[in-house]
Structures are given as structure tokens and as C-alpha cells.
Amino acid sequence: MTEQGTTGTQVTGAQSLIMSLESAGAENIFGIPGGAILPAYDPLYDSKIRHILVRHEQGAGHAAQGYAAATGKVGVCMATSGPGATNLVTPIADAYMDSVPMVAVTGQVPAAAIGTDAFQEADIRGITMPITKHNFLVTDPAEIPRTVAEAFYLASTGRPGPVLVDVAKSALQAMTTFDWPAEINLPGYRPVARPHSKQIREATKLILEASKPVLYVGGGVIRAKAAQELRVLAEMTGIPVVTTLMARGAFPDSHPQHLGMPGMHGTVAAVAGLQKSDLIISLGARFDDRVTGNLDSFAPGAKVIHADIDPAEIGKNRYVDVPIVGDCREVIADLIVALQAEQDAGNTGDFEGWVKFVAGIKAQYPLGYDTPADGLAPQYVLERLGAISGPESIYCAGVGQHQMWATHYLGFENPNTWINSGGAGTMGFAVPAAMGAKVGRPDATVWAIDGDGCFQMTNQELATCTIEGIPIKVAIINNESLGMVRQWQTLFYEGRYSNTDLHTGPKRRIPDFVKLADAYGAVGLSCDNAGDVDATIKKAMEIDDVPVVVDFRVFRDAMVWPMVAAGTSNDDIKYARDLAPDFEEDEL
């Protein structure tokens, strides 16, 4: 394709598409061919782009997400029309919720057949309109280069997100001229990266006036690559930090100012820090319902500084005193300069009593768990996995109890080492996301942390990993159940376990995960007691040429604590099933 990659070359639309993807910087594509997209697969055969043949289009989309989250580059997935395209809907929605830069390329029926209910026709542009940052339908082959260039630009700038490029088969088959655009002109699309200086001054004033401030850090800090700036800001001010599920690793877990993750299953210290604060400095977070609980009772005494690249998020859920539109890295950098100038002039905030209070809460209510008398604690498994594999590893989680235990007990010190489905909560995310992350970061150890329910939704991608030489490691936290649903049934439905038993335990073992791993050409290991956990993890760590699947058969009735029941106030947090913490601050 190198010789054909010259502007002005006469090519087919399919060749133009592949040349355009090369010109946009695509290095890897996760996809499956089919009728409408098939013309593009012929020039792809000769391309320098690596195509990874997945076993399901959903896997392609999640792999593109994992690749993007691990590298910061745009992830690319490809599918054919109709069911191929609709199978991408879930990962596209997931990427939209979690601000993941991704371009999905789909084939469409020939232009003349659009709207006739032709074979494998689906209006994927209409279907994905609410869950893409933008999408395109291309029927003119001359528009392919410009469209691809715009798609990559849109996906990666401002608030990142997924962009769909749907290309009619007739456009792929027609002859055209390849003309890569010298510049991109998108009227009306002008994302603001630099914050307004007046808003920075107002924010600085509020910070210095506050007595109980908290840095509420969201995934926008990760996407903006602002972890280093965040640490400087936190340490120069001494303000306590909470990191959301999407921001784990943006601030080191080991840092004394870190209170942990806030929200429904957040730490007591993080929840108390937000609830009792008088100023929330929100950086790239969106006041999600899983963080705020009942919005009317969330942080009732707090003023709010809300910084976000997306102006639509500011004030959407919570009244804002100082709105700041801008890239988090730029915002934090400007705050550092402004606060340093104030410090040099002798103006500093007085947070000593507040810091002492939240530190006391953190010490009084640390994360902890009960060790079952006759079973393996899932929290212990993840605690040891984090200690043995280390903070440089990348961990991709599915959704449910194992996700919450992972975010609490693995221990995160670095950004871009925690990849999970946050906003959409997509079961089946972990294995394909880990595959994508490993493709993007081949030298890193990549673990998929999965439940026995999540794993069975996308485990077919182990075949892809084995064949393509992508040696991910999978830790299945096997509690024989749809664990989080079962927990809610225990707490709110009188233990009526309707349709949550997966029969993956020792009595039936359907499927046997060790045998399943072997069938996929991977190595299967199992562990059901604490004494073997370290040795099993170390054995998995020694295998680097094929995927490894470890079936950790854990105590079935383990629950995720702390917990704020859905729709209730964060003040009603439970530290354990029958223990509500007391975080009154009379001494402040």
C-alpha cells in the first residue's frame, strides 16, 4: 500500500479506505469481514496495518477500547453491515459513556439498495446517533479520505469518544482519487482546551477561602494525561483526593492524601470527604449517580468548582459556583501557577483540621474483609494478585462484584493501568479489552479480572489471543453466581435467588474453566484455598507465550462493602452489613 498512499493516486474506494486508515495512524484493527465490508479486506491483506481477526464483533469493539485506554491512541474496529454493525453497538455505547477515543468502520449495503431492507441492511448511523460523538455515511468514494481524517480528529480531540464511519459497498468498489486532506476544517467544532483566566482566578479564591476542600478526580484526568500535574496540585495544597472508578491510578493509592474511591461502593473516607466538604474541586468528573447517591442530599454544604473539557457536563447534575471549560491538564497547570503566586504572596489555605478529620476517618474505617472459615476470600485473591503482579501491570475488569473488589484491593499507583467499563457497566468487557491492551502494550503484563458470569459472555476471544500470540492472563473470580445481582437479592429480596446460579461450582462445573482454557490453546489453572493463591499467581506469571486462565473458586457469599443502596443518601453508607459508620465532624 505504500506506493498507492500518494495523494492523487487512482484507486478503488476500498484501497482509499485502507490508505486513509494508514494515513490517520492506525496500526491495529480488530474486526471480522463480511459481504458489505469485504472489498476493504482485499487491500488490507497487503497493508502494514495489523488486522486481528476476532471471534465476535463485540470483542472487536472492546478490544479497540482496551487498546485506546492503554495507549492513549485511537482504537479501531471494523465490521460488516447489518448484524456485524449492530454487534458493535454495545462497545460503541460503552466508549461513549467512558470517553474512549475509537473509530468504528462498518460496511453498508450498496447506495442504491439503502432503504430497501436489503440483505444485511441496518441503519447503523441512525442506531448509533445517540451513542457516538459523530457518525458518517459515505456513499461517494471521493469523500473517504476526508471522512476518515475527520473521524480520527473528532475521536481524539476535546472530550474523546467513538466515531462511526459507515461506507456503502458501492463506494468501496468504485474508482476514485486518493486525496488525503492537508488540513481539517470542521465549522462549529472548536473544543476549548485552555481555561478562561477569570475562572481560574475565581477558583483560586474559593480554594483559599475554603476550610474543607476535596479534589474530586474523574476519568477526564486520565484522558488528559494529567496525573503528574494532579500530584503537584495535591501536594502543594495538601487537599485530600478522591478518585472515581474511571480515575483509579490517576493519584497513587499509597499517597497519604488519597481517600480512595467515592460512591456506591466507595471507601468511607472518600464518601465522608465529599459529604462533609465545603468545596468540591471537580476535575474531569461528571457527578454520576453512582458517586452522588441521592443528589438532593449529596455534599449539602459544598460549593463546587467544576472543570471539564465538555461544557455539557458542567452544571448538568449539580449546581456549579465556578465553571471551568478546558482540558484537565491545562486547568490543573493554571491552578498550580495561580495558587503558587498566592503562596508566594503569603496567602495559603488553612485545611489542617479538615485533613486531620478525614485522616481519622480513613484510619477508623479502612478497607477490610472477613476471611471465610471454609472458603477463599475473593478480596484476598485480588490483594495478592496486585502485590505479586505489581502496580506496573495493566488490569482490565468486567462488571460486578469482582470489579469493585479489584478497584479496592489491587492497589493502583499509575495512570492507564486500570481499564474497566464504568458508565455502561458492560459484562463481558474484560477479556477483549485485555486483548486490546496487550496489543497496544505488548511489554506489559495484562490481567483480565473477570467473574464467572462476565467471562462466559466473551471468552471466545481466547481463541484470538492464542492464534494471534496475545498472551493475556485471566483471573476468574468464580463465585458460581451473577454475584452482584445475588448480593442485591440477599439484601433487598429476602434471599430469593431468582436466576443467579451459574452452576460453575464444584458440584456441576459447567463449564470447567480449566478444560475450556485448554480447548482454546491456553493454560488453565485452578485454586480454591488461600494457601495456594501465591503459588498459583506466580505460576501464571511465569507463562508468557500463551494466554493463562486461573479459576479462583471463591466463597460464594462474600459481599462488596462499603455500600450505599441505590437511590439513598451517601450519609446512609454501610461499612459492613450491620455497621453504619459515624463521620460527624463536631471537632471541626
Side-chain angles (χ1 to χ4, degrees):
M1 293 302 296
T2 306
E3 293 179 2
Q4 295 176 332
T6 307
T7 292
T9 304
Q10 284 290 305
V11 292
T12 65
Q15 289 173 316
S16 180
L17 175 61
I18 301 307
M19 292 159 63
S20 297
L21 290 168
E22 289 176 345
S23 298
E27 298 170 342
N28 300 276
I29 294 175
F30 303 90
I32 300 180
I37 196 67
L38 191 57
Y41 271 79
D42 187 64
L44 186 58
Y45 188 80
D46 300 315
S47 173
K48 63 184 179 182
I49 297 173
R50 179 188 183 187
H51 180 274
I52 295 162
L53 178 63
V54 297
R55 295 304 181 265
H56 192 288
E57 290 90 354
Q58 182 181 352
H62 291 322
Q65 287 183 271
Y67 176 88
T71 64
K73 301 175 183 178
V74 176
V76 185
C77 54
M78 186 178 286
T80 196
S81 63
T86 58
N87 281 342
L88 287 177
V89 169
T90 294
I92 288 171
D94 195 293
Y96 186 72
M97 289 288 279
D98 288 348
S99 305
V100 179
M102 183 171 86
V103 170
V105 179
T106 54
Q108 184 54 273
V109 298
I114 292 175
T116 69
D117 291 333
F119 177 66
Q120 289 193 331
E121 180 185 0
D123 178 13
I124 195 62
R125 189 180 183 213
I127 290 168
T128 61
M129 193 79 71
I131 54 169
T132 49
K133 190 172 176 183
H134 192 68
N135 59 23
F136 301 86
L137 171 62
V138 183
T139 56
D140 180 353
E143 294 180 359
I144 289 173
R146 177 186 56 79
T147 302
V148 170
E150 290 177 359
F152 274 74
Y153 179 70
L154 287 165
S156 59
T157 56
R159 180 179 182 172
V163 177
L164 176 84
V165 178
D166 193 34
V167 189
K169 186 174 184 178
S170 53
L172 294 174
Q173 293 174 317
M175 294 303 296
T176 185
T177 302
F178 175 74
D179 285 311
W180 187 249
E183 60 180 11
I184 295 171
N185 181 27
L186 291 170
Y189 181 71
R190 295 286 185 271
V192 176
R194 288 303 306 271
H196 197 288
S197 58
K198 179 179 181 293
Q199 302 308 95
I200 294 293
R201 289 195 300 271
E202 291 296 320
T204 302
K205 181 182 176 184
L206 278 190
I207 291 169
L208 295 176
E209 290 174 351
S211 58
K212 298 182 287 183
V214 171
L215 288 164
Y216 163 40
V217 177
V221 170
I222 298 282
R223 297 287 180 257
K225 302 178 177 64
Q228 188 173 1
E229 288 79 2
L230 172 65
R231 183 160 185 167
V232 171
L233 176 65
E235 290 181 344
M236 75 178 290
T237 60
I239 296 173
V241 179
V242 302
T243 53
T244 68
L245 181 66
M246 293 304 301
R248 305 292 285 117
F251 195 73
D253 279 1
S254 61
H255 199 286
Q257 286 173 241
H258 194 208
L259 303 182
M261 183 181 81
M264 175 177 278
H265 291 296
T267 65
V268 175
V271 171
L274 287 173
Q275 284 299 97
K276 301 301 179 182
S277 66
D278 66 359
L279 178 64
I280 293 173
I281 306 156
S282 176
L283 302 169
R286 55 189 179 85
F287 292 87
D288 174 71
D289 63 286
R290 283 312 197 245
V291 169
T292 66
N294 183 292
L295 201 56
D296 293 339
S297 61
F298 173 69
K303 291 183 178 180
V304 173
I305 299 166
H306 192 174
D308 203 287
I309 191 75
D310 184 357
E313 286 296 345
I314 297 176
K316 185 177 79 176
N317 294 326
R318 170 69 182 243
Y319 174 79
V320 175
D321 297 274
V322 178
I324 306 177
V325 178
D327 178 84
C328 277
R329 191 174 184 180
E330 302 276 4
V331 171
I332 297 170
D334 283 6
L335 283 173
I336 290 168
V337 171
L339 286 164
Q340 186 63 57
E342 292 290 341
Q343 283 188 15
D344 293 344
N347 301 321
T348 57
D350 181 10
F351 316 135
E352 186 177 349
W354 170 242
V355 169
K356 183 179 178 182
F357 166 72
V358 292
I361 295 292
K362 183 178 176 181
Q364 188 176 358
Y365 299 103
L367 285 169
Y369 56 90
D370 294 325
T371 301
D374 57 349
L376 178 59
Q379 301 94 328
Y380 178 73
V381 171
L382 291 162
E383 202 170 55
R384 296 307 302 153
L385 179 59
I388 294 169
S389 193
E392 302 299 324
S393 297
I394 296 173
Y395 303 93
C396 301
V399 171
Q401 287 181 313
H402 62 280
Q403 176 191 29
M404 295 296 104
W405 289 320
T407 193
H408 282 314
Y409 292 102
L410 284 171
F412 298 98
E413 300 295 311
N414 305 299
N416 304 106
T417 54
W418 169 247
I419 299 170
N420 80 136
S421 172
T426 304
M427 291 180 68
F429 176 87
V431 169
M435 176 173 69
K438 184 67 174 175
V439 169
R441 298 271 306 279
D443 296 331
T445 298
V446 180
W447 280 93
I449 312 296
D450 232 344
D452 46 321
C454 281
F455 180 68
Q456 292 186 76
M457 291 193 173
T458 52
N459 63 43
Q460 69 275 1
E461 299 309 334
L462 283 175
T464 309
C465 290
T466 299
I467 292 167
E468 292 283 346
I470 307 168
I472 66 169
K473 305 181 192 303
V474 183
I476 304 173
I477 307 302
N478 180 1
N479 58 7
E480 310 169 41
S481 306
L482 298 171
M484 188 63 85
V485 183
R486 191 175 194 272
Q487 174 166 331
W488 283 44
Q489 288 173 334
T490 300
L491 297 174
F492 309 121
Y493 292 90
E494 301 176 344
R496 290 162 56 84
Y497 300 119
S498 174
N499 293 283
T500 46
D501 190 340
L502 292 174
H503 301 286
T504 50
K507 292 181 180 178
R508 302 195 71 183
R509 204 161 290 168
I510 302 174
D512 184 318
F513 291 128
V514 174
K515 290 181 179 177
L516 184 67
D518 182 64
Y520 277 126
V523 173
L525 306 172
S526 66
C527 178
D528 59 8
N529 69 84
D532 294 333
V533 167
D534 280 22
T536 304
I537 294 170
K538 288 174 182 175
K539 186 174 181 179
M541 292 290 293
E542 291 169 358
I543 300 167
D544 273 330
D545 55 341
V546 293
V548 184
V549 176
V550 187
D551 181 12
F552 288 104
R553 298 165 188 162
V554 301
F555 180 55
R556 189 174 200 180
D557 292 317
M559 290 196 188
V560 179
W561 299 107
M563 181 178 180
V564 177
T568 66
S569 170
N570 281 353
D571 290 328
D572 298 327
I573 187 173
K574 294 289 192 296
Y575 180 55
R577 184 166 184 177
D578 299 313
L579 177 61
D582 177 12
F583 43 73
E584 292 303 316
E585 83 261 48
D586 295 338
E587 69 271 24
L588 285 180

